[in-house]
Amino acid sequence: MSEIHAETVAFARDTMMPPAPPPRRETGAVRWMRENLFSGPLNIILTILAAWLLWLALRDLLPWAWRGIWQAGSASECRAIRDQLYGEGVPAACWAVVRARWRQLLFGFYPADGLWRPLLALGLFLVAVLPVLFSGAPRRLLWLSAAAPFVIVWLLWGGSLWGPVAAALGFVVGWAIWAAVARRGNAGLALLLGLGAALAWWFLLARPVAAGLASVAPLALVPVESRAFGGFTLSLVIGLAGICLSLPLGVLLALARRSELFFISKVAVAYIEVIRGVPLIVWLLVAQVVLNYFLPRGTNFDILLRVIIMVTLFSSAYIAEVIRGGLAALPSGQYEAADALGLGYWQATRLIVLPQALKISIPGIVNSFIGLFKDTTLVSIISLFDPMRISSTIRATTEWGGIYWELYVFVALVFFAFCFAMSRYSIWLERRLERSHR
Amino acid sequence: MTDAALAPPPPVSGEVAVQITGMNKWYGQFHVLRDIDLTVTKGERIVICGPSGSGKSTLIRCINRLEEHQSGQIVVDGTELTSNLKNVDKVRSEVGMVFQHFNLFPHLTVLENCTLAPIWVRKVPKREAEETAMHFLHKVRIPEQAHKYPGQLSGGQQQRVAIARSLCMRPKIMLFDEPTSALDPEMIKEVLDTMIELARDGMTMLCVTHEMGFAQAVANRVIFMDQGQIVEQNTPREFFNNPRSERSKLFLSQILGH
């Protein structure tokens, strides 16, 4: 012991060192490649292997796509042009099919003179979600967001403008009554009366009011049947409606599952397990066939509406589980602090719990949304014309028989564009919300 | 200790702030609080100490019903804590609490942390709530951090924000649950100074803490707990110099003995 002590030298610093700038890093492409691609034997082998695989994958694909023929009336014409240009049997894509049939791929059987309607609806949707997606967007746009669903429905399905307006008025009536009663201080009664008023409006008054308004000012678009929807219009209608509706439903389910009220939590658990435990295709078939047995004879319950409801219910179970993970990750101290400050359950949930839980759940939520959007292709099973089924239909025509890859590549690229946009947005949002660690 | 400690704390009024009679609590089979009787008068500053697991945190968490008691009676400022949620909300809005791990809301700025409850629970207009918040942030000496997020502050600063957040609700009683236990030694003093100032202003305080310097400076009563029971109650001077029970003697020798 004493020897060790003898060897330590007493030391006291009399001046503190000022901070120095970090050493300058060398930059440049060569430097980057040496550091990232050729830093050691293993890395060199992996780089060469990857380059070889990449070459294998692209050496046929790129020339095939690049040689692509854009001007042709049919698959056989395509082949003739190819033989003339590149010689017999040389692989060349026949993009002419996309050029000839893009309208069907994008809009299905939507009336040709009304294609501006789905496009305008999509534009309106994108503007309406701006204030929800980006906190920097003007708050006044939220009024547009509230009105957008009704306008979009009117644009897509046509008919009298006053139908959607009357439906929207139901919400206004319900909200007005709720607000009036809630101000008197009875929250439960207010909810009940507001709900009752809205239902009464929808079932009793909405139809006559809409008819009355229509007779005064007949503003209407040509009605379009749900069966006419197809291609990416169909995918987007189902996918976006499902996404917008399943998030709030999923949040409620997740909260219900964690509720201290026995009945509510068990109902949520049962719902989630049953919905998740059965394939989506089965639920779609249920929507198509079985629902009709339960509905009164002669009710025409729109097939697209049924599919949207089923997809929403299905997706909300997944969203609920993702959000439950976020809720569980929140430290109990947050709940205690909210309680100790006197915040009520809904206040604490809205102001403290959900903002943090949703932030944690963003990757999972977006993952579910991307899955939902791609799963819309499953509706071909109940004879709706999603992009894949449209592709098969095009291939079944005499002009374009024998065309495979071109249509699939096109469909894949469009899906990829949407999904990649969602993925990038989620990464951006996560980074923006990254506050607790600066 | 500190300059703040030199001024004697104000005298205690006679009114009752918290009245606990025959209170019992169990976690499953485990009897955490056994037959607790405690009367706290307004303006009193009580330090609760004892070995870990003795039930001291649970006791003060019962006062704002973060924990439910199973028998006995707790009356806070004239309101009895029962399963009636209105009473619970009323008590919670009048009792402030500071936690060991601060429990600030990380997604809100310091200022938003302080104005949230006044705006949503007390329905104070935003402007007014922000003025109050800045007043208390001045008081805990970090007004310049108002627009930062909690994650950007040191532990001591976070705890002072937590104190300011509670004060913004203008509580009549403040509960402190080991407020300095999670802090680096260098930061303990700044939090204690804030608490001492609060005591000088006449706040009714119940503090679970092992800061014996703090107890001697401001407390007018020390409560020593062990195995869910109040083992000894006395003035700080008597308790530290002349502990009566064997358990207190052992405890004091362990925390002061090195």
Short mmCIF file of all heavy atoms in Angstrom, two decimals, chain A residues 112-164:
data_model
loop_
_atom_site.label_atom_id
_atom_site.label_comp_id
_atom_site.label_asym_id
_atom_site.label_seq_id
_atom_site.Cartn_x
_atom_site.Cartn_y
_atom_site.Cartn_z
N ALA A 112 -65.14 9.04 -68.78
CA ALA A 112 -63.96 9.71 -69.33
C ALA A 112 -64.07 11.23 -69.23
O ALA A 112 -63.07 11.92 -69.06
CB ALA A 112 -63.78 9.29 -70.80
N ASP A 113 -65.30 11.76 -69.29
CA ASP A 113 -65.41 13.22 -69.24
C ASP A 113 -65.42 13.74 -67.79
O ASP A 113 -65.51 14.95 -67.57
CB ASP A 113 -66.68 13.68 -69.97
CG ASP A 113 -67.92 13.02 -69.40
OD1 ASP A 113 -67.77 12.12 -68.55
OD2 ASP A 113 -69.04 13.40 -69.78
N GLY A 114 -65.32 12.83 -66.81
CA GLY A 114 -65.36 13.28 -65.41
C GLY A 114 -64.06 13.02 -64.66
O GLY A 114 -64.04 13.02 -63.44
N LEU A 115 -62.99 12.78 -65.43
CA LEU A 115 -61.74 12.42 -64.75
C LEU A 115 -61.22 13.55 -63.86
O LEU A 115 -60.45 13.31 -62.94
CB LEU A 115 -60.67 12.04 -65.77
CG LEU A 115 -60.98 10.79 -66.59
CD1 LEU A 115 -59.76 10.38 -67.41
CD2 LEU A 115 -61.41 9.65 -65.70
N TRP A 116 -61.64 14.79 -64.14
CA TRP A 116 -61.20 15.90 -63.29
C TRP A 116 -61.72 15.73 -61.87
O TRP A 116 -61.14 16.25 -60.93
CB TRP A 116 -61.69 17.23 -63.87
CG TRP A 116 -63.20 17.33 -63.99
CD1 TRP A 116 -63.95 16.90 -65.04
CD2 TRP A 116 -64.10 17.85 -63.01
NE1 TRP A 116 -65.28 17.13 -64.79
CE2 TRP A 116 -65.40 17.71 -63.56
CE3 TRP A 116 -63.95 18.42 -61.75
CZ2 TRP A 116 -66.55 18.12 -62.87
CZ3 TRP A 116 -65.09 18.83 -61.08
CH2 TRP A 116 -66.37 18.69 -61.63
N ARG A 117 -62.80 14.96 -61.70
CA ARG A 117 -63.40 14.85 -60.37
C ARG A 117 -62.51 14.10 -59.39
O ARG A 117 -62.19 14.63 -58.31
CB ARG A 117 -64.79 14.24 -60.47
CG ARG A 117 -65.80 15.28 -60.98
CD ARG A 117 -67.03 14.68 -61.56
NE ARG A 117 -67.70 13.77 -60.64
CZ ARG A 117 -68.84 13.15 -60.91
NH1 ARG A 117 -69.44 13.35 -62.07
NH2 ARG A 117 -69.38 12.34 -60.03
N PRO A 118 -62.06 12.87 -59.71
CA PRO A 118 -61.11 12.22 -58.77
C PRO A 118 -59.83 13.02 -58.60
O PRO A 118 -59.29 13.06 -57.49
CB PRO A 118 -60.82 10.87 -59.42
CG PRO A 118 -61.67 10.74 -60.60
CD PRO A 118 -62.48 11.97 -60.78
N LEU A 119 -59.36 13.66 -59.68
CA LEU A 119 -58.12 14.43 -59.56
C LEU A 119 -58.32 15.61 -58.62
O LEU A 119 -57.50 15.86 -57.74
CB LEU A 119 -57.67 14.93 -60.94
CG LEU A 119 -57.03 13.87 -61.82
CD1 LEU A 119 -56.72 14.44 -63.20
CD2 LEU A 119 -55.76 13.34 -61.16
N LEU A 120 -59.45 16.32 -58.77
CA LEU A 120 -59.74 17.46 -57.90
C LEU A 120 -59.91 16.98 -56.46
O LEU A 120 -59.45 17.61 -55.51
CB LEU A 120 -61.00 18.19 -58.38
CG LEU A 120 -61.35 19.46 -57.63
CD1 LEU A 120 -60.22 20.48 -57.80
CD2 LEU A 120 -62.66 20.05 -58.15
N ALA A 121 -60.57 15.80 -56.31
CA ALA A 121 -60.77 15.25 -54.97
C ALA A 121 -59.43 14.96 -54.32
O ALA A 121 -59.22 15.28 -53.14
CB ALA A 121 -61.62 13.97 -55.06
N LEU A 122 -58.49 14.38 -55.10
CA LEU A 122 -57.17 14.09 -54.55
C LEU A 122 -56.46 15.39 -54.16
O LEU A 122 -55.86 15.49 -53.08
CB LEU A 122 -56.32 13.31 -55.57
CG LEU A 122 -54.91 12.93 -55.10
CD1 LEU A 122 -54.98 12.02 -53.89
CD2 LEU A 122 -54.12 12.27 -56.22
N GLY A 123 -56.55 16.39 -55.04
CA GLY A 123 -55.93 17.68 -54.74
C GLY A 123 -56.51 18.28 -53.48
O GLY A 123 -55.77 18.75 -52.59
N LEU A 124 -57.84 18.25 -53.36
CA LEU A 124 -58.51 18.79 -52.19
C LEU A 124 -58.07 18.04 -50.94
O LEU A 124 -57.80 18.64 -49.89
CB LEU A 124 -60.02 18.67 -52.37
CG LEU A 124 -60.90 19.26 -51.27
CD1 LEU A 124 -60.62 20.75 -51.16
CD2 LEU A 124 -62.36 19.02 -51.59
N PHE A 125 -57.96 16.71 -51.06
CA PHE A 125 -57.52 15.91 -49.92
C PHE A 125 -56.12 16.34 -49.47
O PHE A 125 -55.88 16.53 -48.28
CB PHE A 125 -57.52 14.42 -50.29
CG PHE A 125 -56.93 13.54 -49.22
CD1 PHE A 125 -57.70 13.14 -48.15
CD2 PHE A 125 -55.60 13.15 -49.28
CE1 PHE A 125 -57.17 12.35 -47.15
CE2 PHE A 125 -55.05 12.36 -48.29
CZ PHE A 125 -55.84 11.96 -47.22
N LEU A 126 -55.23 16.50 -50.46
CA LEU A 126 -53.84 16.85 -50.10
C LEU A 126 -53.79 18.21 -49.41
O LEU A 126 -53.05 18.40 -48.44
CB LEU A 126 -52.96 16.85 -51.35
CG LEU A 126 -52.75 15.46 -51.96
CD1 LEU A 126 -51.91 15.55 -53.22
CD2 LEU A 126 -52.08 14.52 -50.95
N VAL A 127 -54.59 19.17 -49.88
CA VAL A 127 -54.61 20.48 -49.22
C VAL A 127 -55.22 20.35 -47.83
O VAL A 127 -54.75 20.96 -46.87
CB VAL A 127 -55.40 21.50 -50.07
CG1 VAL A 127 -55.49 22.84 -49.35
CG2 VAL A 127 -54.74 21.70 -51.42
N ALA A 128 -56.28 19.54 -47.73
CA ALA A 128 -56.97 19.42 -46.45
C ALA A 128 -56.11 18.77 -45.38
O ALA A 128 -56.26 19.08 -44.19
CB ALA A 128 -58.27 18.62 -46.64
N VAL A 129 -55.20 17.85 -45.76
CA VAL A 129 -54.37 17.21 -44.73
C VAL A 129 -53.17 18.06 -44.37
O VAL A 129 -52.49 17.78 -43.38
CB VAL A 129 -53.89 15.79 -45.12
CG1 VAL A 129 -55.04 14.84 -45.16
CG2 VAL A 129 -53.11 15.81 -46.41
N LEU A 130 -52.90 19.11 -45.16
CA LEU A 130 -51.74 19.96 -44.85
C LEU A 130 -51.70 20.41 -43.39
O LEU A 130 -50.69 20.22 -42.72
CB LEU A 130 -51.70 21.18 -45.78
CG LEU A 130 -51.03 20.99 -47.14
CD1 LEU A 130 -51.01 22.32 -47.89
CD2 LEU A 130 -49.61 20.47 -46.96
N PRO A 131 -52.77 21.05 -42.89
CA PRO A 131 -52.69 21.55 -41.50
C PRO A 131 -52.57 20.43 -40.48
O PRO A 131 -52.15 20.67 -39.35
CB PRO A 131 -53.98 22.35 -41.32
CG PRO A 131 -54.90 21.84 -42.35
CD PRO A 131 -54.06 21.40 -43.50
N VAL A 132 -52.98 19.21 -40.86
CA VAL A 132 -52.84 18.09 -39.93
C VAL A 132 -51.40 17.57 -39.93
O VAL A 132 -50.84 17.23 -38.89
CB VAL A 132 -53.82 16.95 -40.30
CG1 VAL A 132 -53.72 15.81 -39.32
CG2 VAL A 132 -55.25 17.49 -40.36
N LEU A 133 -50.80 17.53 -41.14
CA LEU A 133 -49.46 16.94 -41.26
C LEU A 133 -48.35 17.92 -40.90
O LEU A 133 -47.32 17.53 -40.38
CB LEU A 133 -49.24 16.43 -42.68
CG LEU A 133 -50.14 15.29 -43.15
CD1 LEU A 133 -49.71 14.83 -44.53
CD2 LEU A 133 -50.09 14.13 -42.18
N PHE A 134 -48.57 19.21 -41.21
CA PHE A 134 -47.50 20.19 -41.00
C PHE A 134 -47.99 21.29 -40.09
O PHE A 134 -48.93 22.01 -40.43
CB PHE A 134 -47.05 20.78 -42.34
CG PHE A 134 -46.55 19.75 -43.31
CD1 PHE A 134 -47.38 19.26 -44.30
CD2 PHE A 134 -45.26 19.24 -43.21
CE1 PHE A 134 -46.94 18.29 -45.18
CE2 PHE A 134 -44.81 18.28 -44.10
CZ PHE A 134 -45.65 17.80 -45.08
N SER A 135 -47.34 21.43 -38.93
CA SER A 135 -47.80 22.43 -37.97
C SER A 135 -47.56 23.84 -38.50
O SER A 135 -48.14 24.80 -38.01
CB SER A 135 -47.09 22.24 -36.64
OG SER A 135 -45.70 22.29 -36.83
N GLY A 136 -46.71 23.98 -39.53
CA GLY A 136 -46.43 25.30 -40.07
C GLY A 136 -47.53 25.82 -40.99
O GLY A 136 -47.61 27.01 -41.27
N ALA A 137 -48.40 24.91 -41.47
CA ALA A 137 -49.46 25.32 -42.40
C ALA A 137 -50.46 26.22 -41.68
O ALA A 137 -50.67 26.09 -40.48
CB ALA A 137 -50.16 24.09 -42.97
N PRO A 138 -51.10 27.16 -42.41
CA PRO A 138 -52.04 28.08 -41.76
C PRO A 138 -53.19 27.33 -41.09
O PRO A 138 -53.77 26.41 -41.67
CB PRO A 138 -52.54 28.96 -42.91
CG PRO A 138 -52.07 28.33 -44.16
CD PRO A 138 -50.91 27.47 -43.83
N ARG A 139 -53.51 27.75 -39.87
CA ARG A 139 -54.55 27.07 -39.08
C ARG A 139 -55.93 27.21 -39.72
O ARG A 139 -56.81 26.42 -39.48
CB ARG A 139 -54.59 27.62 -37.65
CG ARG A 139 -53.34 27.37 -36.84
CD ARG A 139 -53.22 25.94 -36.40
NE ARG A 139 -52.39 25.16 -37.33
CZ ARG A 139 -52.23 23.87 -37.28
NH1 ARG A 139 -52.80 23.17 -36.33
NH2 ARG A 139 -51.49 23.23 -38.14
N ARG A 140 -56.08 28.29 -40.49
CA ARG A 140 -57.41 28.51 -41.06
C ARG A 140 -57.80 27.38 -42.01
O ARG A 140 -58.97 27.14 -42.25
CB ARG A 140 -57.43 29.86 -41.79
CG ARG A 140 -58.53 30.76 -41.30
CD ARG A 140 -58.42 32.14 -41.95
NE ARG A 140 -57.14 32.75 -41.65
CZ ARG A 140 -56.63 33.77 -42.35
NH1 ARG A 140 -57.29 34.25 -43.38
NH2 ARG A 140 -55.47 34.30 -42.01
N LEU A 141 -56.79 26.68 -42.55
CA LEU A 141 -57.07 25.56 -43.45
C LEU A 141 -57.88 24.46 -42.78
O LEU A 141 -58.50 23.64 -43.43
CB LEU A 141 -55.75 24.97 -43.97
CG LEU A 141 -55.14 25.62 -45.20
CD1 LEU A 141 -53.84 24.92 -45.55
CD2 LEU A 141 -56.10 25.56 -46.36
N LEU A 142 -57.89 24.45 -41.43
CA LEU A 142 -58.61 23.39 -40.72
C LEU A 142 -60.11 23.41 -41.05
O LEU A 142 -60.75 22.37 -41.05
CB LEU A 142 -58.42 23.54 -39.20
CG LEU A 142 -57.10 22.97 -38.67
CD1 LEU A 142 -56.89 23.35 -37.22
CD2 LEU A 142 -57.07 21.45 -38.83
N TRP A 143 -60.63 24.60 -41.37
CA TRP A 143 -62.04 24.66 -41.79
C TRP A 143 -62.22 23.87 -43.06
O TRP A 143 -63.20 23.13 -43.22
CB TRP A 143 -62.46 26.11 -42.02
CG TRP A 143 -62.66 26.83 -40.73
CD1 TRP A 143 -61.82 27.74 -40.15
CD2 TRP A 143 -63.76 26.66 -39.81
NE1 TRP A 143 -62.34 28.14 -38.95
CE2 TRP A 143 -63.53 27.50 -38.71
CE3 TRP A 143 -64.91 25.88 -39.83
CZ2 TRP A 143 -64.39 27.59 -37.65
CZ3 TRP A 143 -65.77 25.97 -38.77
CH2 TRP A 143 -65.52 26.81 -37.69
N LEU A 144 -61.24 24.01 -43.97
CA LEU A 144 -61.29 23.25 -45.21
C LEU A 144 -61.21 21.76 -44.90
O LEU A 144 -61.94 20.94 -45.47
CB LEU A 144 -60.13 23.68 -46.12
CG LEU A 144 -60.09 22.98 -47.47
CD1 LEU A 144 -61.23 23.47 -48.34
CD2 LEU A 144 -58.76 23.26 -48.16
N SER A 145 -60.32 21.40 -43.94
CA SER A 145 -60.17 19.99 -43.59
C SER A 145 -61.48 19.41 -43.10
O SER A 145 -61.80 18.26 -43.37
CB SER A 145 -59.10 19.82 -42.50
OG SER A 145 -57.96 20.54 -42.84
N ALA A 146 -62.25 20.22 -42.34
CA ALA A 146 -63.52 19.72 -41.82
C ALA A 146 -64.53 19.54 -42.94
O ALA A 146 -65.32 18.59 -42.93
CB ALA A 146 -64.06 20.69 -40.77
N ALA A 147 -64.50 20.43 -43.93
CA ALA A 147 -65.50 20.35 -45.01
C ALA A 147 -65.09 19.35 -46.08
O ALA A 147 -65.95 18.80 -46.78
CB ALA A 147 -65.68 21.72 -45.63
N ALA A 148 -63.77 19.09 -46.18
CA ALA A 148 -63.24 18.30 -47.29
C ALA A 148 -63.91 16.93 -47.46
O ALA A 148 -64.26 16.56 -48.58
CB ALA A 148 -61.73 18.15 -47.16
N PRO A 149 -64.10 16.14 -46.36
CA PRO A 149 -64.66 14.80 -46.57
C PRO A 149 -65.98 14.83 -47.34
O PRO A 149 -66.21 14.01 -48.23
CB PRO A 149 -64.89 14.28 -45.15
CG PRO A 149 -64.00 15.08 -44.29
CD PRO A 149 -63.79 16.39 -44.96
N PHE A 150 -66.83 15.82 -47.03
CA PHE A 150 -68.14 15.87 -47.67
C PHE A 150 -68.02 16.28 -49.14
O PHE A 150 -68.68 15.72 -50.01
CB PHE A 150 -69.04 16.84 -46.91
CG PHE A 150 -69.16 16.48 -45.46
CD1 PHE A 150 -68.39 17.11 -44.49
CD2 PHE A 150 -69.99 15.44 -45.06
CE1 PHE A 150 -68.47 16.75 -43.17
CE2 PHE A 150 -70.07 15.06 -43.74
CZ PHE A 150 -69.31 15.72 -42.79
N VAL A 151 -67.15 17.27 -49.39
CA VAL A 151 -66.95 17.71 -50.78
C VAL A 151 -66.34 16.57 -51.60
O VAL A 151 -66.72 16.33 -52.74
CB VAL A 151 -66.04 18.95 -50.82
CG1 VAL A 151 -65.86 19.42 -52.25
CG2 VAL A 151 -66.64 20.07 -49.97
N ILE A 152 -65.39 15.85 -50.98
CA ILE A 152 -64.73 14.76 -51.72
C ILE A 152 -65.73 13.66 -52.07
O ILE A 152 -65.76 13.16 -53.20
CB ILE A 152 -63.55 14.19 -50.88
CG1 ILE A 152 -62.40 15.22 -50.86
CG2 ILE A 152 -63.07 12.87 -51.43
CD1 ILE A 152 -61.25 14.86 -49.96
N VAL A 153 -66.58 13.32 -51.13
CA VAL A 153 -67.61 12.31 -51.41
C VAL A 153 -68.49 12.77 -52.56
O VAL A 153 -68.81 12.01 -53.48
CB VAL A 153 -68.47 12.05 -50.14
CG1 VAL A 153 -69.74 11.30 -50.49
CG2 VAL A 153 -67.66 11.26 -49.13
N TRP A 154 -68.87 14.06 -52.53
CA TRP A 154 -69.72 14.60 -53.59
C TRP A 154 -69.01 14.55 -54.94
O TRP A 154 -69.57 14.14 -55.95
CB TRP A 154 -70.12 16.03 -53.24
CG TRP A 154 -70.98 16.67 -54.27
CD1 TRP A 154 -72.19 16.23 -54.71
CD2 TRP A 154 -70.68 17.87 -55.00
NE1 TRP A 154 -72.69 17.09 -55.66
CE2 TRP A 154 -71.78 18.10 -55.86
CE3 TRP A 154 -69.62 18.76 -55.00
CZ2 TRP A 154 -71.82 19.19 -56.72
CZ3 TRP A 154 -69.66 19.86 -55.85
CH2 TRP A 154 -70.76 20.07 -56.70
N LEU A 155 -67.74 14.96 -54.94
CA LEU A 155 -66.98 14.96 -56.19
C LEU A 155 -66.87 13.55 -56.76
O LEU A 155 -67.06 13.33 -57.95
CB LEU A 155 -65.57 15.51 -55.95
CG LEU A 155 -65.42 17.04 -55.89
CD1 LEU A 155 -64.00 17.41 -55.49
CD2 LEU A 155 -65.77 17.66 -57.24
N LEU A 156 -66.60 12.57 -55.89
CA LEU A 156 -66.33 11.22 -56.39
C LEU A 156 -67.59 10.53 -56.85
O LEU A 156 -67.63 9.92 -57.92
CB LEU A 156 -65.65 10.39 -55.30
CG LEU A 156 -64.19 10.74 -55.00
CD1 LEU A 156 -63.68 9.95 -53.81
CD2 LEU A 156 -63.32 10.48 -56.22
N TRP A 157 -68.64 10.59 -56.04
CA TRP A 157 -69.84 9.82 -56.37
C TRP A 157 -70.90 10.66 -57.08
O TRP A 157 -71.86 10.13 -57.58
CB TRP A 157 -70.44 9.20 -55.10
CG TRP A 157 -69.75 7.94 -54.70
CD1 TRP A 157 -70.03 6.69 -55.16
CD2 TRP A 157 -68.66 7.80 -53.80
NE1 TRP A 157 -69.19 5.76 -54.59
CE2 TRP A 157 -68.32 6.42 -53.75
CE3 TRP A 157 -67.91 8.68 -53.02
CZ2 TRP A 157 -67.30 5.93 -52.96
CZ3 TRP A 157 -66.90 8.19 -52.24
CH2 TRP A 157 -66.59 6.83 -52.21
N GLY A 158 -70.73 11.99 -57.06
CA GLY A 158 -71.69 12.84 -57.77
C GLY A 158 -73.04 12.88 -57.09
O GLY A 158 -73.16 12.64 -55.89
N GLY A 159 -74.07 13.19 -57.84
CA GLY A 159 -75.39 13.37 -57.26
C GLY A 159 -75.57 14.79 -56.78
O GLY A 159 -74.77 15.67 -57.08
N SER A 160 -76.62 14.98 -56.00
CA SER A 160 -76.92 16.33 -55.52
C SER A 160 -75.90 16.77 -54.48
O SER A 160 -75.48 15.99 -53.63
CB SER A 160 -78.32 16.34 -54.91
OG SER A 160 -78.50 17.53 -54.20
N LEU A 161 -75.52 18.03 -54.54
CA LEU A 161 -74.58 18.57 -53.55
C LEU A 161 -75.21 18.56 -52.17
O LEU A 161 -74.52 18.46 -51.15
CB LEU A 161 -74.20 20.00 -53.93
CG LEU A 161 -73.41 20.81 -52.90
CD1 LEU A 161 -72.04 20.20 -52.68
CD2 LEU A 161 -73.25 22.26 -53.33
N TRP A 162 -76.55 18.60 -52.13
CA TRP A 162 -77.21 18.82 -50.84
C TRP A 162 -77.24 17.59 -49.97
O TRP A 162 -77.44 17.70 -48.76
CB TRP A 162 -78.62 19.36 -51.07
CG TRP A 162 -78.56 20.61 -51.90
CD1 TRP A 162 -79.00 20.79 -53.17
CD2 TRP A 162 -77.95 21.85 -51.51
NE1 TRP A 162 -78.72 22.06 -53.62
CE2 TRP A 162 -78.07 22.74 -52.61
CE3 TRP A 162 -77.32 22.29 -50.36
CZ2 TRP A 162 -77.59 24.04 -52.58
CZ3 TRP A 162 -76.84 23.59 -50.33
CH2 TRP A 162 -76.97 24.45 -51.42
N GLY A 163 -77.02 16.41 -50.56
CA GLY A 163 -76.93 15.20 -49.74
C GLY A 163 -75.77 15.30 -48.75
O GLY A 163 -75.97 15.27 -47.54
N PRO A 164 -74.52 15.47 -49.25
CA PRO A 164 -73.38 15.62 -48.34
C PRO A 164 -73.54 16.83 -47.42
O PRO A 164 -73.15 16.76 -46.25
CB PRO A 164 -72.20 15.82 -49.28
CG PRO A 164 -72.60 15.21 -50.56
CD PRO A 164 -74.08 15.34 -50.64
#
